[in-house]
């Protein structure tokens, strides 16, 4: 009896008695399930939008033209890899062996919020009267992803390198998602300004350049903060090239060379920041 009592003191609750490994808690299981549900909800909401014939107002050009900061339609195909990556991440973090891992504990709630918020965004985006809510939800998505990526990077620095497959199935999906969000939130803002009559077709060059400037500043700061995350920067460049294509070809209804030039400058600045950050010595 005394021996049993001694063992219980030596191995507190939440620790495996034979190996000393930390055991998943009920909170861990809820987090794992929330990520799985969020990843599935994104796909389900998209299927519903497409099957119902509704439009999110971004993936196709409006007959009257769209704000010049919205990328060409092909650029939105990146949602496919984003959803696939989110699902892969959700599955990896839900594996029984990963339930109590500290990096997923730190990152998991941020990613779960981002995934679930994306499903909410899709349901709001088909309702023009709620256009400003989509901007607010995109901000929540960005904050959740930033929290998740920061947690993953911190854990990697503290615990050493992770298996290569986790770079592709864990860090890459969050990085790509955050990169797209960094630009998409400003496209959402431009659409909201147009929808609420605050801007007019043909008179949006100034506000588009201002939004590009803010987005570039955020992308530069995030590139430095993530120590030159190539997945993040590559996705930002994908979005910026989409803006250039839209404004050079008139894919969104009209050409706009000043905004195309602004997006090109932004792409160069972000690319140079990536190179400089990667070349900088580590502390």
């Amino acid at each position: 009896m005394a021996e049993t009592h001694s063992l219980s003191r030596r191995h507190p609750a939440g620790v495996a008695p034979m190996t000393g490994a930390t055991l998943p808690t009920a909170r861990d299981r809820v987090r794992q399930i929330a990520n799985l549900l969020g990843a599935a909800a994104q796909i389900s909401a998209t299927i519903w939008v497409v099957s119902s014939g509704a439009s999110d107002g971004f993936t196709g050009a409006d007959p009257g033209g769209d704000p010049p900061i919205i990328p060409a339609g092909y650029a939105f195909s990146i949602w496919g890899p984003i959803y696939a990556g989110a699902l892969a991440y959700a599955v990896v973090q839900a594996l029984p062996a990963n339930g109590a891992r500290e990096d997923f504990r730190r990152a998991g709630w941020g990613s779960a919020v981002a995934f679930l918020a994306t499903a909410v965004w899709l349901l709001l985006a088909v309702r023009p009267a709620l256009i400003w809510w989509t901007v607010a939800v995109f901000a929540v998505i960005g904050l959740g992803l930033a929290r998740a990526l920061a947690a993953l990077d911190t854990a990697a620095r503290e615990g050493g390198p992770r298996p290569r497959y986790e770079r592709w199935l864990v860090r890459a999906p969050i990085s790509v998602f955050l990169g797209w969000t960094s630009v998409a939130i400003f496209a959402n803002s431009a659409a909201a300004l147009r929808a609420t009559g605050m801007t007019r077709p043909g008179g949006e060059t100034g506000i588009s350049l201002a939004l590009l400037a803010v987005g570039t500043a955020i992308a530069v700061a995030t590139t430095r903060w993530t120590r030159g995350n190539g997945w993040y920067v590559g996705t930002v460049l994908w979005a910026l090239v989409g803006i250039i294509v839209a404004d050079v070809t008139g894919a969104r209804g009209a050409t706009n060379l000043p905004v195309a030039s602004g997006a090109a400058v932004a792409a160069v600045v972000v690319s140079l920041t990536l190179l400089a950050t990667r070349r900088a010595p580590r502390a």
Side-chain angles (χ1 to χ4, degrees):
M1 201 65 171
E3 179 64 20
T4 301
H5 180 66
S6 174
L7 284 173
S8 67
R9 286 187 300 169
R10 195 178 304 147
H11 302 287
V15 176
M18 299 300 294
T19 65
T22 304
L23 295 174
T25 64
R27 180 180 174 84
D28 290 326
R29 296 306 186 199
V30 170
R31 167 179 48 77
Q32 289 178 301
I33 293 171
N35 275 278
L36 285 170
L37 290 177
Q42 295 177 138
I43 299 172
S44 299
T46 301
I47 293 173
W48 177 83
V49 169
V50 173
S51 64
S52 66
S55 171
D56 61 10
F58 298 98
T59 54
D62 187 279
D66 286 310
I69 199 175
I70 296 180
Y74 79 86
F76 291 85
S77 64
I78 198 171
W79 279 113
I82 285 175
Y83 289 161
L87 187 59
Y89 166 93
V91 169
V92 171
Q93 63 86 42
L95 295 175
N98 292 335
R101 270 180 47 173
E102 191 60 32
D103 52 353
F104 287 127
R105 280 178 168 171
R106 295 178 182 180
W109 291 111
S111 57
V113 167
F115 297 165
L116 291 166
T118 302
V120 172
W121 177 86
L122 283 160
L123 299 178
L124 293 175
V126 299
R127 295 168 172 80
L130 303 177
I131 185 71
W132 278 111
W133 282 101
T134 68
V135 178
V137 172
F138 240 128
V140 172
I141 295 169
L143 290 173
L145 293 169
R147 176 183 174 85
L149 187 57
L152 291 172
D153 285 352
T154 298
R157 289 194 296 270
E158 293 176 352
R162 294 288 186 256
R164 182 176 296 274
Y165 79 89
E166 289 196 8
R167 299 178 190 176
W168 288 84
L169 300 182
V170 175
R171 190 170 186 262
I174 299 299
S175 303
V176 169
F177 204 162
L178 181 60
W180 180 254
T181 301
S182 296
V183 178
I185 188 172
F186 296 103
N188 249 57
S189 299
L193 290 169
R194 164 82 71 88
T196 52
M198 300 177 71
T199 59
R200 292 284 188 274
E204 297 164 304
T205 297
I207 190 64
S208 294
L209 290 173
L211 291 171
L212 270 175
V214 176
T216 302
I218 291 175
V220 166
T222 304
T223 301
R224 292 182 177 277
W225 166 62
T226 59
R227 301 186 178 186
N229 185 321
W231 292 104
Y232 171 83
V233 172
T235 309
V236 170
L237 294 179
W238 169 270
L240 290 173
V241 169
I243 294 172
I244 296 170
V245 170
D247 289 315
V248 169
T249 65
R252 285 289 173 183
T255 59
N256 192 312
L257 295 184
V259 173
S261 300
V265 170
V268 171
V269 170
V270 174
S271 298
L272 291 176
T273 302
L274 174 66
L275 293 176
T277 303
R278 289 196 164 184
R279 289 175 180 173
R282 294 285 186 263

